[in-house]
Amino acid sequence: LKVQEHGRALLPVVTGFAAVFHHYDFEPETPANGYRTLVKVLQSCLLHIIDKTRYVATSCHGAFFRAEHNACELEAYCGALCQLRALMYLAQRLLHDNGHGQLISLQDGELSRRFVREYASMHKACFYGRCLGFQFSATLRPFLQSVVISMVSYGETYGKQQSSLGIAALSLLTSGKYVLDPEQRGAEFERITQNLDLQFWKSFWNLTESGLVTGFTRITSNPVNVNLALTLPPVQLRLPLTSDPRLSTPVSPPVAHTGPGPVYARLISHEFREGHDTEELLAYSDMEANPLALNMVSSWSQKKARSPWLMIHFHGGGFVAQTSKSHEYYLRSWSKALKVPILSVDYSLSPEAPFPRALEECFYAYCWALKNAHLLGSTAERVCLAGDSAGGNLCITVSMKAVSMGIRVPDGIMAAYPATLLTIDASPSRLLTLIDPLLPLGVLAKCLNAYAGVTCKGLQPVVGSGTLGALGRDTATLLSDLGWGASNWLQSFLDPARSRSPSRPPPTLALSTPPGRSASERILRSDGGGGGGEGGDYPDGFQPMRSECLAFVLQSSCPVIKNPFVSPLLAPNELLKGLPPVHIVASALDALLDDSVMFARKLRDMGQPVTLTIAEDLPHGFLSLSQLTKETEVASDLCVARIREVFLKRDPPSNLRQRPTAASPAV
């Protein structure tokens, strides 16, 4: 009945979107935007419901049919369908209020504030439990489930005074209950993503920098002959002007916030080339701290000539986390595939070093590489900037800075799912943050505000407020919870007629379920109670489910966010006119999709060479997942193909008529 109710109500909305798509101000061959993605996500949810109901209809009389499990599955997807219905109404309002062909509400501040209020109060746990990752490819769902379970388990140990081994062991112990109880996992994940402070996210994301993870990455990835961590001293450089090479302009070292300081970078090269064995290059590196760099000693007799190409890479991580270590896996593969040395810049991170420190360091490293390309094993005849997410933003803004200073610009840019608008203004793809396990809106806002220098403290775990706050819980209680969960799951499997036992609900459900109301009633409730939403955009009789754990999302009006070197989508045409060819590889299921679409359209309308390629069914950050599935590997190969176009001097046309998928890397 719930499926029928929501389905009938959604039919005219989806039909209206289909009519708009037909007349939209994009060519039919243009890659998808956030509106199309929302419809596709809704379709995916409905297909899951249809598949589950078919299974129930054909298997309900079987000896091993688990009635409770399948009832909970249908409950969860009905809850997700209810929330998706609300998102579709919000998208319909965006389509009505935005200008023709506009995806992002840059002028309507009230529309964006309404979106943030809705996000803060809407129930999201249903998307992180049984329905987790339904919108992504089937091969990615087990990985996403592992990430969510790890994050929730890490949240329990966050802030504890223990060794790394102790924290890892405790997280492993507590993860069992989240495997056995998806509802508890969803509720805890909602709390974490909405209200934990930025330091938690920095700490969790930087787990990829641990010695165990990086060691495993180096073992499983392509071997390289050169892997040098470099320290670039803060000295003034001079570069020739493009208008008159006889003249030069000074390039100062980074000074913002902390004064002059060195810039750190990593040189990765699959092949050992001329320049890599010079004392001048080794003087920039601490050989004792770089034992792997000694691999090149065995290759001295096979030294190759300098490459005519050079790639400069800026890593992602929301401007707040990670270094080149986290991205080393695919950089090693790219160096081998392209036969090019790669300089990856480890810029300073926010909130300790907000804008413009990272931009200054990346620009200085770019200028240093141009001046010292011979040390990097390159003649720098062709230079390509590459980066993902925050790194994609820095690729664009570094090029803009080169244009403004009149020095050589790179020969091309490959930006993967770049952040081109560092606001949380309402857009159809921003609505996807309600269901995104990797980039929820609260986390996105914290990262963007940190880079802009806006301080925002999240809620700390509170002892006594549920599972997440119970950081002092002893091992015996954890084992008891784990044993109860296993027993409950086993009994429900063996006894199909067994109803859910109300004698001992999971601890987390008490957080979001008022006294006297069952979890099922909370999940299927759609009367709008308990929330803080506006409700004005919904038809009579409908309200999305509301969360009793409200999110705090700071929608900053800081003028820094509107700086064109922070949000290049807002840059004047004069500053973008000198950009080199830009290749954008975006992800369809990404909150930043509309950033890529609108920025590519802006460049196209100016006559700038640009391509936009969409990887279907993949999340934000797919480059870091390139070793996991065939789809992410193909998407990584798309990025390599775009970089190769830059090196081979294949300038793209000024249109966006290509629409390949991750399964079909055609150009």
Side-chain angles (χ1 to χ4, degrees):
L1 290 176
K2 284 291 181 183
V3 173
Q4 289 179 354
E5 173 193 340
H6 295 311
R8 290 195 186 102
L10 282 166
L11 184 60
V13 179
V14 176
T15 304
F17 276 123
V20 171
F21 295 158
H22 183 69
H23 298 287
Y24 204 69
D25 191 28
F26 287 87
E27 294 84 355
E29 299 85 357
T30 299
N33 56 57
Y35 290 118
R36 289 188 176 95
T37 302
L38 279 170
V39 174
K40 185 174 180 179
V41 169
L42 175 63
Q43 180 188 33
S44 178
C45 183
L46 288 171
L47 289 175
H48 276 80
I49 292 174
I50 292 171
D51 289 342
K52 178 56 66 175
T53 51
R54 283 176 176 167
Y55 169 77
V56 170
T58 57
S59 308
C60 60
H61 299 297
F64 295 100
F65 180 75
R66 298 163 56 196
E68 181 188 13
H69 169 78
N70 287 284
C72 290
E73 290 278 321
L74 285 172
E75 276 187 3
Y77 276 101
C78 285
L81 183 62
C82 173
Q83 301 304 82
L84 289 175
R85 179 182 174 185
L87 293 186
M88 293 299 290
Y89 284 129
L90 291 175
Q92 191 178 36
R93 180 62 181 269
L94 285 174
L95 193 63
H96 178 270
D97 290 0
N98 282 344
H100 183 62
Q102 292 297 315
L103 296 174
I104 302 175
S105 300
L106 297 176
Q107 305 300 328
D108 192 347
E110 180 55 35
L111 191 61
S112 296
R113 283 189 290 272
R114 187 183 302 118
F115 159 59
V116 171
R117 287 196 296 267
E118 283 295 296
Y119 175 89
S121 65
M122 286 177 68
H123 171 73
K124 311 169 192 65
C126 60
F127 293 110
Y128 306 127
R130 297 177 187 271
C131 303
L132 177 65
F134 73 89
Q135 69 272 33
F136 298 111
S137 63
T139 53
L140 267 180
R141 289 173 203 150
F143 168 77
L144 294 174
Q145 184 176 14
S146 300
V147 169
V148 170
I149 291 173
S150 301
M151 188 182 300
V152 174
S153 301
Y154 186 77
E156 290 206 30
T157 61
Y158 174 61
K160 277 199 165 185
Q161 299 297 323
Q162 291 195 19
S163 65
S164 299
L165 182 60
I167 291 177
L170 187 58
S171 298
L172 181 63
L173 179 64
T174 60
S175 63
K177 56 187 170 185
Y178 299 119
V179 176
L180 300 174
D181 195 333
E183 282 77 23
Q184 184 177 5
R185 178 180 73 219
E188 289 296 84
F189 188 81
E190 182 178 22
R191 281 178 52 86
I192 287 176
T193 55
Q194 291 190 151
N195 290 319
L196 277 185
D197 63 10
L198 185 63
Q199 291 304 319
F200 168 81
W201 296 103
K202 289 171 69 75
S203 175
F204 181 74
W205 289 338
N206 283 333
L207 289 177
T208 56
E209 305 280 317
S210 65
L212 181 63
V213 175
T214 55
F216 178 78
T217 296
R218 285 171 174 164
I219 292 173
T220 57
S221 61
N222 288 298
V224 294
N225 284 311
V226 179
N227 188 348
L228 280 172
L230 305 178
T231 301
L232 313 182
V235 297
Q236 189 178 82
L237 306 174
R238 297 198 70 87
L239 268 74
L241 296 175
T242 54
S243 58
D244 188 349
R246 295 172 299 177
L247 303 177
S248 63
T249 184
V251 176
S252 300
V255 296
H257 302 298
T258 56
V263 177
Y264 302 98
R266 180 178 299 275
L267 175 62
I268 295 175
S269 180
H270 177 71
E271 298 170 318
F272 186 74
R273 298 183 178 275
E274 292 181 5
H276 290 160
D277 59 344
T278 60
E279 293 184 3
E280 188 178 358
L281 175 66
L282 297 180
Y284 290 107
S285 174
D286 182 359
M287 294 298 294
E288 294 182 0
N290 291 276
L292 290 178
L294 297 177
N295 289 348
M296 64 184 183
V297 174
S298 62
S299 304
W300 282 357
S301 60
Q302 304 163 358
K303 185 165 53 177
K304 295 191 176 182
R306 291 185 175 90
S307 170
W309 304 341
L310 176 64
M311 185 179 124
I312 302 175
H313 171 261
F314 307 130
H315 66 81
F319 299 102
V320 301
Q322 300 188 334
T323 67
S324 58
K325 279 187 178 181
S326 310
H327 300 254
E328 201 173 315
Y329 181 90
Y330 68 82
L331 291 180
R332 286 166 167 251
S333 299
W334 288 7
S335 179
K336 179 180 180 180
L338 294 166
K339 294 181 172 55
V340 61
I342 299 174
L343 183 71
S344 183
V345 183
D346 292 329
Y347 53 87
S348 296
L349 302 174
S350 301
E352 295 81 8
F355 174 83
R357 184 75 189 197
L359 175 59
E360 288 184 353
E361 292 183 354
C362 290
F363 180 71
Y364 183 82
Y366 166 73
C367 295
W368 183 91
L370 292 182
K371 195 172 183 64
N372 297 277
H374 61 286
L375 301 179
L376 305 177
S378 172
T379 59
E381 296 171 33
R382 302 285 291 179
V383 177
C384 179
L385 298 188
D388 69 309
S389 191
N393 173 288
L394 291 167
C395 288
I396 297 169
T397 52
V398 164
S399 301
M400 291 165 53
K401 194 169 178 64
V403 170
S404 65
M405 291 192 64
I407 64 173
R408 175 184 175 180
V409 298
D411 297 283
I413 297 171
M414 194 292 296
Y417 39 89
T420 63
L421 180 66
L422 269 65
T423 71
I424 52 175
D425 288 315
S427 82
S429 70
R430 292 285 198 274
L431 297 179
L432 293 171
T433 56
L434 191 82
I435 67 176
D436 195 328
L438 299 179
L439 196 63
L441 184 67
V443 181
L444 176 63
K446 287 180 176 68
C447 294
L448 302 185
N449 289 331
Y451 185 57
V454 179
T455 57
C456 174
K457 293 184 178 180
L459 300 183
Q460 296 285 351
V462 180
V463 175
S465 62
T467 306
L468 182 62
L471 296 177
R473 180 178 294 179
D474 56 23
T475 304
T477 306
L478 289 174
L479 287 173
S480 175
D481 284 345
L482 185 59
W484 172 82
S487 175
N488 186 58
W489 178 84
L490 184 60
Q491 290 182 47
S492 68
F493 181 86
L494 297 176
D495 185 3
R498 178 180 176 271
S499 61
R500 184 178 301 173
S501 173
S503 59
R504 188 181 177 187
T508 306
L509 292 182
L511 289 171
S512 51
T513 306
R517 180 179 294 152
S518 70
S520 300
E521 291 171 335
R522 178 185 61 78
I523 290 177
L524 293 179
R525 174 172 60 93
S526 60
D527 58 3
E534 293 291 298
D537 293 328
Y538 306 117
D540 293 339
F542 171 76
Q543 275 286 309
M545 297 180 294
R546 299 296 180 183
S547 174
E548 280 77 20
C549 177
L550 303 183
F552 174 71
V553 180
L554 177 63
Q555 189 175 14
S556 174
S557 58
C558 176
V560 173
I561 293 177
K562 301 295 180 70
N563 187 313
F565 289 97
V566 174
S567 298
L569 181 59
L570 305 179
N573 290 357
E574 295 75 18
L575 197 53
L576 299 177
K577 265 293 184 184
L579 287 182
V582 177
H583 300 278
I584 300 176
V585 181
S587 171
L589 296 169
D590 179 16
L592 303 183
L593 170 63
D594 291 336
D595 298 43
S596 297
V597 174
M598 293 301 293
F599 188 68
R601 282 194 62 204
K602 183 171 184 175
L603 294 179
R604 178 200 63 179
D605 294 344
M606 293 169 49
Q608 286 288 112
V610 58
T611 66
L612 173 60
T613 309
I614 305 293
E616 300 287 349
D617 300 327
L618 294 180
H620 184 86
F622 60 72
L623 281 179
S624 297
L625 316 176
S626 57
Q627 71 273 30
L628 295 178
T629 69
K630 182 63 176 178
E631 292 88 346
T632 53
E633 184 179 346
V634 170
S636 177
D637 291 342
L638 284 173
C639 298
V640 173
R642 295 308 190 199
I643 297 171
R644 184 175 284 112
E645 289 182 21
V646 173
F647 290 142
L648 295 177
K649 303 182 181 181
R650 296 175 183 170
D651 291 345
S654 299
N655 62 61
L656 308 177
R657 304 186 65 85
Q658 297 142 355
R659 193 180 181 181
T661 66
S664 176
V667 295

